[in-house]
Amino acid sequence: MTANTSHTIPSYLNPAQLGPWGDYLQQVDRVTPYLGSLSRWVETLKRPKRALIVDVPIELDNGTMAHFEGYRVQHNTSRGPGKGGVRFHSEVTLSEVMALSAWMSVKNAAVNLPYGGAKGGIRVDPQTLSRGELERLTRRYTSEIGVIIGPTKDIPAPDVNTNEQIMAWMMDTYSMNEGATSTGVITGKPIALGGSLGRREATGRGVFTVGCEAAKRMALPIEGVRIAVQGFGNVGGVAAQLFVKAGGRLVAVQDHAASLYKDAGIDASALWEHVQLHGSIKGYADAESVTADAFWDTPCDVMIPAALEQQITSANAHRIQARLVIEGANGPTTPEADDILRERNILVVPDVIANAGGVTVSYFEWVQDFSSFFWSEDDINARLVRLMTEAFDAVWQMAQEHKVSLRTATFIIACKRILHARELRGLYP
Ligand code: NAD
């Protein structure tokens, strides 16, 4: 009888279509040699603790019934409750949500938040739904995943195509099912419902903070630095505005509908206003419209992918002109592309540290909700910057010590913390 009963790929995933989960598994393989005796626990990281798939039926405005597929995956809870966003997107898959939940485990451990990792999603294009349909969808999904979430079990938050209003509906649905208002079950809520000041801008602010730290170490001045941003939403839009405020020049922006270029610098605040009105950068007049493909050749110093996974691949990594890539999105760079960028001496600040600002202020929100005592925005921003700067410094030192990429360095710090907790706890979780 063979003793090896471990299967890395769960039977519910098609091994030929692993998507971002395959990228994540490769990242874990890369870090394993650095884990010492903790590597005996590494298989824990290669499968989610729990993956829930739910049917979300709703009545549409025209009286017909529609069924949507929803997910909530808890990757790891060794260091605390699951924590991670909820994504509404027509391409959401189980393997994507699994990867996103695993990156949350790594991210939360990298900044030393007392959380495990989780993520959720619904396979839907929310732009095709009315407000009433969106509310019914959100509430039914929340009820369905209500069996595994909770303020001390798993705390959802916003992600792509979800916002404060959706978080308010989620909090309300969970609370009313429980019979008492429970603000701590969701973060990213409106301020009027126990949300935190600074949460909306927190991920972009974190991207800016670690981006400046990396630039400082590369002797790259922010004044006049040319920035190209993919994704001009909550993360990319805020980060771009902060870089421009600090003296940077926004030369290129791409979103789902258009790509813009202007060497003299795009007015980031005016573009932001345009997006709030029209839902996209498309139609913004004060920049040249270019093809989506041309975006990757943009002459720039810093590139910020802040849209979706697997955007920088072996097909375009050799074309990127930037010296610094700051990953605002989760999983935007494939492992093959990572190698190409490293060979080309382009520094990559990985998602698991670069976009940790959002969950950090979500943690502050959760703490404030429990104590029902709310902090000032200055206090929150100062704590965020301090935590992110310290975490980045530790990652930088780890990378120097082992001569590894910042991604592997972040994974070394985070995976050691997760597996150490796992070892100390023993049998569970
Ligand atoms: P968002 O919905 O506010 O914005 C997404 C942006 O990406 C939009 O500008 C959209 O047009 C663009 N986009 C979508 N598909 C695209 C495509 N195919 N090509 C180019 N652009 C495309 O979402 P967000 O909250 O800014 O999230 C963006 C990324 O950041 C995601 O990977 C998300 O997981 C990650 N992230 C978000 C947070 C947060 O707090 N919101 C925290 C950490 C990480």
Side-chain angles (χ1 to χ4, degrees), residues 87-89 100 104 107 119 127 157-162 199-204 207 229-237 253-259 272 275 279-281 292 296 305-309 311 327-332 351 354-359 362:
R87 174 174 297 195
F88 288 180
H89 196 278
L100 291 166
M104 287 310 300
K107 191 183 306 180
K119 201 85 180 192
Q127 289 185 337
D159 192 68
V160 175
N161 289 331
T162 56
R199 171 61 184 90
R200 203 182 300 160
E201 302 81 18
T203 309
V207 167
V229 179
Q230 187 200 37
F232 205 71
N234 185 268
V235 180
V253 181
Q254 175 174 89
D255 77 356
H256 67 281
S259 301
W272 180 257
V275 171
S280 159
I281 62 170
W296 302 106
L308 298 171
E309 307 86 50
Q311 298 299 303
E327 294 185 338
N330 286 307
D351 48 6
N355 69 31
V359 70
S362 272

